[in-house]
Each structure stands twice: as structure tokens, then as C-alpha cells.
Amino acid sequence: MSGIDWGTVPAWLSAVLTGGSLLLGFYILLRDRRKAEQADALKLICWRGLGNDGYTTHVLNASDRTVHNVTMHGMLRDGQKEPLFEGFPVAGTLRADEEKAVETPRRIGGTKVIPWAVSFTDSDGASWLRDLTTGRLHEYGRPRLFGKYARMNWRERRYKAHAIRELKRTY
């Protein structure tokens, strides 16, 4: 009888399904871990307002844990191709339910200053960057290849990568 030996097909099918379920399990674990890591960082609320003499950037820690090294980064534009960044310290430590603000001038010399992002370190030691123009939260210095970062157009990706690289180099 010249039939197919079906003895190995169920074993192969079982191995493929087992491997797939393991990969799915690991993906779910990593996704839940990423959500837990972002939980405190998402509770840091940042906004900016326009005053008479310049901008006021407010930072409110709505989480139950403290955050450290809170800095507002202003984008300096003076007609150059690539923007420069200047850091304005907001707070060394921001406790739970505490709000701080920093005043920045509209111009430094002939250079226009635009509040761009707030960087901070959470209680677990992870560094984050909150973009004030879009409200998005980024892991500091590690842009993701998938997700929101991948959906940006190439100019926006290059600009964000340059900005984060400049911030890493500065601080």
C-alpha cells in the first residue's frame, strides 16, 4: 500500500500549534509588562500656556509615585535647518499630586523659543519624553520600530529621531 504515513503529520501539527501558543503567550506577557511600565508615566500631565512675557509650562504628577529630573525642553528656531534645544529645569523631584511650572521667554536674543517636550525619570528609573505638541509619550532615546512610531511619515520620524538624539547628547 503506497499511502501517506499520517503518523508524523499530527506530531508536526501539534508542534506548530504549541509553538504558536507559546509565542502568543510571550507576546501577551510583553504587552502587559509594557502597559505596566507606562502606567505611571502616562499619569504625568503636561500643558503649556501663553503669557504676556513668554510661555508657562505646567507639569502635574497625578500618579502615586514620585518622578525625578523633570525638565522642559525648548526648541530654539532662528532660521537654521536643524533646531537646537535648551533645557529649562522644572523640578528635581515631583511628588505625588504635586504641580510645578516653569516660565520660558518667547525669545532668547534673536532666537525664538518654543516649548517642545518634557523629559522625566520615573520611580523605576525609566526615562520618558512627553511631546507637548502631540501629547505622545516616548521612551527616552529608544524610538519603537512598530506602533505609533512606524505610522509617522519619514520626515516626522527623522525629525523625532534627530530631536531625541540631540537631547541624549545634551543631557
Side-chain angles (χ1 to χ4, degrees):
M1 197 159 176
S2 64
I4 299 175
D5 183 15
W6 290 98
T8 60
V9 172
W12 277 100
L13 184 62
S14 172
V16 167
L17 291 177
T18 301
S21 65
L22 284 173
L23 288 175
L24 180 64
F26 285 129
Y27 169 75
I28 291 171
L29 283 174
L30 288 175
R31 185 191 64 193
D32 290 347
R33 181 176 176 213
R34 190 175 302 131
K35 282 183 183 179
E37 287 174 352
Q38 287 183 350
D40 283 340
L42 287 171
K43 292 180 183 175
L44 192 83
I45 303 166
C46 308
W47 70 97
R48 65 181 174 195
L50 185 60
N52 293 334
D53 298 332
Y55 297 99
T56 304
T57 303
H58 300 270
V59 181
L60 171 66
N61 184 7
S63 71
D64 298 332
R65 299 165 62 182
T66 61
V67 294
H68 309 282
N69 304 325
V70 182
T71 305
M72 192 283 297
H73 302 280
M75 185 181 348
L76 306 177
R77 300 292 281 193
D78 63 352
Q80 307 178 74
K81 274 189 158 183
E82 299 294 337
L84 301 173
F85 296 92
E86 179 71 29
F88 299 91
V90 177
T93 301
L94 197 60
R95 292 179 179 77
D97 296 323
E98 186 177 7
E99 179 184 342
K100 296 278 184 170
V102 63
E103 298 275 336
T104 55
R106 288 187 189 183
R107 293 192 173 274
I108 297 177
T111 306
K112 187 175 181 181
V113 179
I114 302 168
W116 178 73
V118 173
S119 67
F120 59 96
T121 304
D122 66 9
S123 295
D124 296 326
S127 296
W128 300 91
L129 184 76
R130 165 97 49 198
D131 190 336
L132 291 171
T133 56
T134 63
R136 290 182 181 165
L137 184 69
H138 302 280
E139 283 186 69
Y140 190 72
R142 287 192 314 177
R144 297 225 182 264
L145 296 177
F146 303 103
K148 292 178 186 172
Y149 186 76
R151 286 192 292 266
M152 293 180 197
N153 66 35
W154 68 271
R155 284 191 179 104
E156 189 178 357
R157 257 197 313 261
R158 191 181 76 192
Y159 175 74
K160 295 279 186 194
H162 170 73
I164 291 173
R165 220 176 16 257
E166 283 295 317
L167 288 174
K168 272 181 75 175
R169 191 176 319 151
T170 308
Y171 298 97

